[in-house]
Structure formats: C-alpha cells, structure tokens
Amino acid sequence: MKRIVVIGGGVSGMSAGIYARINGFDTVICEKHSTVGGNLCGWTRDGYHIDNCIHWLTGTNPHSEGYRMWNELGVLGDVSVLQGNTLYSCGYGGDTLSLFRDINKLEQRMLELSPEDSDEIRRLIHAVDIMQRIGGIGGDGHDEGLGIRQGIYAIPLLMRYYRMTTGELSKCFSHPLLRKFISAFWGNEFGSLALLMVFAAFCGENGGIPAGGSCGMAKRMEKQFAALGGEVLCDREVIRINRRGALAESVDLSDGTRLTADYVVVTCDPAAAFGSIIDAPMPKRLDRQYKGRRFKRFSAFQCAFACDVDKLPFEGDYILSSESDFPFEIKQVILREFSHETDYAPEGKNVLQCMTFCYENEANEFIRMREADKMSYDRKKRELSELFEKLIITDFPILNGKLRLIDAWTPATYKRYTGAEIGSFMSFALPAKCLPFRITGAVDGIENLFIASQWQQLPGGLPIAASCGRKAVSDIMRREVFLSKRKKNCMKTKPMQS
Ligand SMILES: Cc1cc2nc3c(=O)[nH]c(=O)nc-3n(C[C@H](O)[C@H](O)[C@H](O)COP(=O)(O)OP(=O)(O)OC[C@H]3O[C@@H](n4cnc5c(N)ncnc54)[C@H](O)[C@@H]3O)c2cc1C
C-alpha cells in the first residue's frame, strides 16, 4: 500500500486524509499542534467556551454539491444543523436591518426602509435567486437549478456584480442603513459576487451551523479519519521535506523522526511552507497573488466577554457602529452570540465575541509588537477590548455592567497557532472583477508533492479547504493511473529474450 504523508491537520489536511483512506492509501497526518482542527477550533476560558470559527458552513443544504462532501467527511450525517433566522444585523438611526434567511422577508424589510431603492433592491434579490439556482438550491423549496435560457439572460446581471466592490454596490443605494448593510461584513473592498454567494448560501438554507460548532465539527472529522484507519501524529511539526531529484521521498519531524512517503500533501499556508520546508519555488500563479497588490491578505483582532444576561437583545451576528477614528482600516466590528449552544456558557449567562478584520500591515504590526515588547502588546489587547466593550454598550445599553473580558487574541495568536505567515485564517479577499477559479496543487519539479490549501482558491473558507484536500487525492489517483499505464506499456514493448 502506498503511503501519503499529509502535513497539517486542519480541515484541508483531514479532508485529504479521509479521501486518501477512502481510496486505499496508508495515510499519516502530521500536526504541529496538540490537537487537529487548525482554525476549526475552540477553547474554554473561565467556564465559557470560545468558538473560533463557524459563522456559517456552506454545504448544509442536502441539494447542494457541498453536502455530499461534508457527509463523506463525517461532518453532517445525523447531526442537527441550526438554520438561524438571521445571519447578521446592523442598525442606523434607530432602525435595524437583518440578513433574514427568508429572502422575501429581507426584500420586504428593505423596501419598507427605502422604497426609493426599490429597483436596486429587486435587482439584488433576483441576483441572489440566480446564484442559488446556479448552486442547485433555488426556488421556494431550495432544490431548483438554472435552465440554459435563464442562465443566458442572467449573465449581464451577474457581470454587474462581478465588476463592483461591496463599497461601490453600497453606493447604489440611497438609504444609509442599506448602504451600511451591504458593506457591513467585510468592508468596502470585497467583490460583490462574494456578497451574493453569502446571501445565496444563507437564504438557500445552505449556510447553517452544525451542532457542536467548530470543535464538534473538527472532532467528527478526526473520528471519521480514525474510523477509516488513518493515523494522526500530533505535536509533530514537519521541519523539512526531503527530495531525491523530482521526488519527495520523506519528511523530517520536529521530534527527530523521519517518515518515508510515496506522496506528500502540504496543507499549511504556502507562504510559510515554500522556501522553508519545501525546497522548490511556489507555483507561479500563487506566487503572483502573494506578491501582487491586487490580492489582499487579512487576519483579525478578537476578544470574548462573559455576559451576565440570560436573554440577549440580538440574534446571530451584529455589526456594531464604529466611529471614523476607529483604529483599523476596515471599520466594522462583528459581535457574535452563541445562545443556540446551551453548554457554551453557564446557565442564565452567555458568551459574546467581537471581531474586527485587519489587513496585512495591521496584522504584521501585532506580530512585530508581540515579538518585540510583550507588555505593550498585552496593553494594546486590553485597550482594544475596552474600546469594543464601549461599542457594545453604545449599541446595547442594557449590557452595561454585564460584560467581563475573558480573552483577547490577535493575528500573532493565529500565526503561533497555525503557522500562517501573517496569521491569516482565510485566503486572499475576493476582489471585484475576479472569478474564484482554483489554482493547481501541482508543484513544478516535485512530481509526488501536492498542495491542498484554501490559498488555491479565493476567498478560502471551510468548503474550499475541504475540496482542495479532496482534489489533491484525486490528482494522486490520476498519477497512479498514469504510472500503472506507463508500466504496462513498458512491459508490452520490452524486447523478447532469445
Ligand atoms: C474567526 C474565524 C471565523 C471563520 N469563519 C468561517 C466561516 O464562518 N465559514 C467558513 O467556511 N470558514 C470560516 N473560517 C475559515 C476557516 O476556519 C478556514 O478556512 C479553514 O479552517 C482553513 O483550514 P486549513 O486546513 O486550510 O488551514 P488551517 O486551519 O490553518 O490548518 C493548517 C494546519 O496545519 C498545521 N501546520 C502548519 N504548519 C505545519 C507544519 N510545518 N507541520 C505540521 N503541521 C503544520 C497547523 O497547526 C494547522 O493545524 C473562519 C476562520 C476564523 C479564524
């Protein structure tokens, strides 16, 4: 049996591992951390659970393509999935607007707030419907696809969103709350197509949260891999991939052991892997994305509060109002609640998490500060957490005196934890005028090494990570077929011995 060594036990790594076992390979996952999951994780502080990842999981609608994959990976099956009523909400001048799962309700609410924006609102809702149909989750039952004629008519409409950033799209609306709502989640620089994808997934019941949240999902994938006979080596960082000519033949681990390999799958951030553990140049297209100015990397500053309140004044995610002097380029703060998970907080209480995105220079500033001056770094975390607490209380005065900081974490935390170069946890932000095609995982000069990473396809995220893991195994299978055909041909053409 040929052996695949997978570097990294995040979602891409576990997906590669599970598909490798399904296809009969001896498979070992090496993970530098003490548990698998990577960014799909959570931790406990002072009796409160902090969930690091899932806001929505694309692929929870049984009619979607992703659903089958998540089932094969052991993620869904008989697990209950929360299809929340709202994904996020934001307020302005005393009004609130939510991304309702019920798209008719969303349309109605937008029209009620701003009848003068009716053309733009109807166009947006129609585009969301088209996106749902492209994914096979359209119509009232969320099970309809897109006909050829419908598809042809939809091209000009989708091209419009393809060309615009969320900032540009928000300016097409006259009402300030609608403007805020459009750029609320990622700021102004994302492509509007990404926004349509999120709306389409959530309103198409394809963006739910599986019970148990991020930790629960990671544990189910780990269990699936173990049930298929895979082996995980935790606390083992891969420090080098050893090559013999065009083949990777083994990997060296931090504990001094060496694992031989017929194939190596690399799932960690390519920016951190090429030039350190991989002795080969990064694939050209990927390299251009890292070096170019068009594709932006980001991470986040986050903090969590114990909340001494039983019934919260909002549901899902809430975009807090921030002032123009807010100290980050993206001026949004996302507040999350987890009341759907009853064991995340002691009875009668809740846990709240705040997040603001930071671009590369801001992320690097945290990383530099932590290395150079831990006291200043800790002070900065405290000051930002105090600012976030003020923002929460401004929007929800009822929470005044009810919040207690339990943790704060930064891009430096992500860098230490997952090894990602600037502490990023998704791929590049999807800009306007860009289609999210996948970059090949093949590496020039090393025939049996494949990348399986969310960095191959913008904007990353769990489904992309998992499908890149699956694709790496299918590339390996294709190579195996090629090798066996070549062997057969060689045998056929061997000269007869006299
Ligand atoms: C706050 C937050 C919210 C998010 N929300 C969502 C969401 O709602 N929906 C969604 O789809 N996605 C979301 N994501 C993104 C999602 O978590 C990631 O896309 C996904 O987890 C990436 O998985 P990965 O396996 O590609 O990478 P990672 O999770 O980074 O895993 C890489 C693994 O490799 C290990 N590793 C690195 N170097 C080595 C080495 N040399 N040797 C051994 N092991 C190594 C790391 O320790 C890590 O475990 C969110 C992420 C965060 C942080």
Side-chain angles (χ1 to χ4, degrees):
M1 203 191 298
K2 290 200 173 173
R3 178 194 259 183
I4 301 182
V5 173
V6 180
I7 303 176
V11 168
S12 337
M14 286 196 283
S15 167
I18 290 168
Y19 282 107
R21 282 302 303 148
I22 290 173
N23 286 287
F25 291 93
D26 172 19
T27 313
V28 186
I29 296 177
C30 304
E31 167 54 50
K32 78 184 179 88
H33 204 64
S34 55
T35 51
V36 289
N39 280 300
L40 183 68
C41 67
W43 58 93
T44 299
R45 289 283 178 276
D46 215 5
Y48 292 80
H49 182 77
I50 294 171
D51 190 314
N52 183 54
C53 183
I54 312 176
H55 292 241
W56 68 87
L57 178 69
T58 304
T60 51
N61 181 324
H63 299 286
S64 70
E65 209 250 311
Y67 188 83
R68 212 185 86 203
M69 176 181 72
W70 289 130
N71 259 342
E72 286 167 348
L73 295 173
V75 167
L76 295 177
D78 52 6
V79 174
S80 67
V81 173
L82 171 82
Q83 300 287 359
N85 293 321
T86 67
L87 181 64
Y88 72 89
S89 309
C90 56
Y92 184 89
D95 282 320
T96 305
L97 177 59
S98 303
L99 174 54
F100 294 111
R101 178 158 50 91
D102 179 346
I103 191 124
N104 297 324
K105 197 168 163 190
L106 172 66
E107 183 176 11
Q108 244 173 29
R109 177 72 181 132
M110 289 174 94
L111 288 169
E112 187 184 294
L113 281 166
S114 183
E116 55 277 25
D117 283 319
S118 62
D119 286 351
E120 201 57 56
I121 293 168
R122 294 210 166 93
R123 208 175 287 143
L124 177 75
I125 300 294
H126 182 46
V128 172
D129 178 58
I130 301 283
M131 291 299 281
Q132 288 179 341
R133 286 172 189 277
I134 291 173
I137 53 163
D140 290 341
H142 299 309
D143 56 357
E144 292 172 21
L146 190 72
I148 294 177
R149 192 191 265 190
Q150 258 179 328
I152 292 169
Y153 284 133
I155 292 171
L157 178 66
L158 294 185
M159 284 301 288
R160 180 173 183 266
Y161 292 97
Y162 160 81
R163 287 196 197 99
M164 269 194 280
T165 61
T166 41
E168 287 159 351
L169 177 62
S170 78
K171 286 189 187 138
C172 297
F173 294 87
S174 62
H175 195 288
L177 178 52
L178 268 58
R179 286 184 165 204
K180 187 175 174 188
F181 180 69
I182 293 297
S183 58
F185 221 85
W186 284 303
N188 291 323
E189 291 190 45
F190 251 79
S192 295
L193 217 48
L195 186 84
L196 287 188
M197 287 178 201
V198 174
F199 278 38
F202 185 70
C203 300
E205 309 212 318
N206 196 29
I209 304 179
S214 305
C215 274
M217 175 166 159
K219 286 206 177 94
R220 287 195 294 279
M221 288 184 82
E222 184 181 11
K223 199 169 151 202
Q224 180 82 336
F225 181 57
L228 288 163
E231 186 186 3
V232 178
L233 300 176
C234 280
D235 290 317
R236 313 288 220 292
E237 181 169 358
V238 171
I239 52 170
R240 194 181 150 72
I241 299 169
N242 303 303
R243 289 176 61 175
R244 182 188 293 260
L247 292 177
E249 59 171 16
S250 63
V251 301
D252 288 344
L253 306 183
S254 49
D255 65 355
T257 48
R258 174 168 286 188
L259 295 178
T260 56
D262 296 295
Y263 288 97
V264 176
V265 175
V266 180
T267 74
C268 43
D269 179 0
F274 282 90
S276 60
I277 61 171
I278 308 174
D279 176 21
M282 189 186 284
K284 283 199 185 70
R285 241 184 91 194
L286 198 54
D287 191 45
R288 274 203 299 276
Q289 291 192 345
Y290 276 109
K291 288 188 179 142
R293 296 177 62 188
R294 183 168 179 227
F295 297 99
K296 293 196 169 185
R297 290 191 283 175
F298 59 92
S299 182
F301 170 80
Q302 295 175 80
C303 57
F305 298 93
C307 176
D308 194 6
V309 159
D310 190 10
K311 184 106 189 69
L312 290 168
F314 68 99
E315 186 191 328
D317 289 5
Y318 188 92
I319 315 299
L320 296 170
S321 319
S322 62
E323 302 293 326
S324 55
D325 61 351
F326 184 68
F328 292 93
E329 202 179 326
I330 299 182
K331 308 224 173 286
Q332 272 82 357
V333 179
I334 302 170
L335 177 66
R336 293 183 72 187
E337 60 90 13
F338 300 87
S339 53
H340 56 280
E341 289 287 354
T342 48
D343 57 355
Y344 275 19
E347 215 183 319
K349 300 182 193 299
N350 272 286
V351 59
L352 294 180
Q353 287 174 213
C354 273
M355 162 161 92
T356 193
F357 292 117
C358 3
Y359 280 132
E360 187 165 338
N361 55 338
E362 294 165 333
N364 278 329
E365 188 51 37
F366 277 109
I367 293 166
R368 259 195 305 272
M369 193 185 265
R370 191 184 185 281
E371 276 164 14
D373 180 357
K374 180 79 169 43
M375 265 167 64
S376 303
Y377 170 80
D378 287 340
R379 192 175 336 113
K380 181 160 182 172
K381 285 204 298 184
R382 257 195 323 275
E383 285 167 4
L384 286 170
S385 305
E386 281 163 15
L387 171 65
F388 283 18
E389 184 174 350
K390 273 192 202 136
L391 294 178
I392 300 176
I393 292 165
T394 307
D395 276 336
F396 300 110
I398 196 177
L399 298 179
N400 196 1
K402 306 283 184 193
L403 302 173
R404 179 168 53 85
L405 182 69
I406 50 172
D407 204 3
W409 61 108
T410 78
T413 320
Y414 286 118
K415 184 179 163 95
R416 270 185 307 130
Y417 184 78
T418 65
E421 194 182 52
I422 65 144
S424 32
F425 45 78
M426 301 260 300
S427 177
F428 305 95
L430 182 71
K433 298 180 193 150
C434 175
L435 285 176
F437 290 123
R438 184 185 289 151
I439 293 175
T440 170
V443 174
D444 274 353
I446 316 184
E447 290 169 16
N448 62 340
L449 183 143
F450 294 89
I451 305 169
S453 158
Q454 58 174 342
W455 292 93
Q456 289 169 258
Q457 191 178 349
L458 282 59
L462 297 164
I464 288 178
S467 67
C468 287
R470 179 177 62 179
K471 178 69 170 61
V473 176
S474 97
D475 288 344
I476 289 173
M477 297 293 290
R478 196 167 311 130
R479 184 169 186 273
E480 282 294 293
V481 171
F482 166 76
L483 290 179
S484 85
K485 273 191 190 154
R486 196 169 68 178
K487 200 169 160 192
K488 267 189 209 148
N489 286 344
C490 284
M491 276 157 60
K492 270 191 214 152
T493 52
K494 243 186 192 171
M496 298 266 280
Q497 284 178 352
S498 55

